[in-house]
Every structure is written in structure tokens, then in C-alpha cells.
Amino acid sequence: QVQLVESGGGLVQPGGSLRLSCAASISNFRLSVMAWYRQTPEKGREFVALIRDSGSTNYTDSVKGRFTISRDNAKNTVYLQMNNLKPEDTAVYYCYTDYLNAWGQGTQVTVSS
């Protein structure tokens, strides 16, 4: 079995910050690729950020310089630090792992004044 549980979403004003967490109950977490995606009715599901077992990262252009993905292998947890949030960042954010192509349940992020 695999389980990904996101937390940390909520309502924040433009320019504010949130930190999302994804607790992963999977085997060999240290070797897995972890990623964050987000989904809206308008755009569907889109890639946000990725981190490999090596620690190397990738980001979609719209979040570069504002978002940071990281992982704590001792805690089997991946994080997404989101700074200078914009209304366009409003979406349901999903945690993903390449282990069995598993997805979390999603956490709502709403950026609004």
C-alpha cells in the first residue's frame, strides 16, 4: 500500500506564505521522486515542482523564485514552501510520487484578499 497525506493548505492574502507538507507512507522513500502538482477547473492538473533522490529539483516557470520544494528523508516527508503567493496560485495542490504513480488527496490553497 501507498499513502500520501497533504496538509498545510488554507486561505492566505496575496503576498503571503504557506508551507505544504506531504507525509508519505511508502517503502524506499529515500529513493523516490516526489512532486507537487496543482489543479484548477480552468487549467486542469499542472506540474509545480519536483525533487529527486539526489536532491535535484525542477520548477515550473511561474513559481521559480517563489516556491521551494524540499524533503526530509528521516521523516518521509516532502515540503513545498510557497512565498509571495498570487491569486493565480489558487488551486488544489496534490503530492505525487513515482512509487506506483500515487497521488495524495489534495489540499486547497486559496489566495485572496
Side-chain angles (χ1 to χ4, degrees):
Q1 290 185 321
V2 57
Q3 185 177 31
L4 305 177
V5 181
E6 300 99 331
S7 62
L11 175 64
V12 65
Q13 293 184 344
S17 298
L18 285 173
R19 188 194 194 203
L20 305 183
S21 298
C22 173
S25 298
I26 59 176
S27 299
N28 299 314
F29 176 84
R30 185 179 62 84
L31 301 178
S32 66
V33 174
M34 304 296 297
W36 289 95
Y37 287 72
R38 62 190 181 188
Q39 184 167 320
T40 65
E42 296 79 15
K43 298 181 178 180
R45 190 167 296 189
E46 62 176 346
F47 169 79
V48 176
L50 175 151
I51 186 166
R52 301 177 178 85
D53 57 347
S54 65
S56 65
T57 59
N58 290 92
Y59 299 91
T60 191
D61 287 344
S62 63
V63 308
K64 288 181 179 177
R66 300 188 298 120
F67 290 11
T68 302
I69 187 171
S70 62
R71 66 195 298 162
D72 186 335
N73 290 335
K75 297 181 179 180
N76 282 17
T77 301
V78 62
Y79 305 96
L80 185 67
Q81 178 67 46
M82 305 184 294
N83 297 327
N84 191 24
L85 283 161
K86 304 176 180 180
E88 308 92 90
D89 297 318
T90 296
V92 178
Y93 283 71
Y94 293 90
C95 183
Y96 168 85
T97 180
D98 65 349
Y99 179 75
L100 300 178
N101 296 315
W103 297 87
Q105 83 289 347
T107 185
Q108 176 70 48
V109 172
T110 302
V111 185
S112 176
S113 59

